[in-house]
Amino acid sequence: DHYGISADNVYAFGDAANDVEMLRAAAVGVAMGDAEPVAAEAADWLTRTAEEDGIAYGLSKLGLI
């Protein structure tokens, strides 16, 4: 809200229980491949683990890079 960006334009990556609200609020919530079950359930889809460059892989799959 502070920057005037709609949640429709937000992609969020997370892996833990403290990320659940963020994953649900974003237009696309992506959980890391080794995410806690509660985070994986809150996400729209799973990417690879951090060790497997999951964020870069997810951004590529989303067409953002």
Side-chain angles (χ1 to χ4, degrees):
D1 289 337
H2 178 77
Y3 292 105
I5 299 171
S6 167
D8 295 336
N9 296 314
V10 174
Y11 298 82
F13 288 76
D15 65 353
N18 67 314
D19 296 322
V20 168
E21 185 177 349
M22 172 185 69
L23 291 167
R24 289 184 178 152
V28 178
V30 182
M32 301 303 292
D34 55 355
E36 295 176 10
V38 67
E41 291 171 14
D44 297 302
W45 62 277
L46 294 173
T47 188
R48 296 175 179 171
T49 68
E51 291 79 17
E52 299 170 319
D53 297 321
I55 292 178
Y57 177 79
L59 291 172
S60 177
K61 286 298 214 178
L62 292 167
L64 298 172
I65 58 170

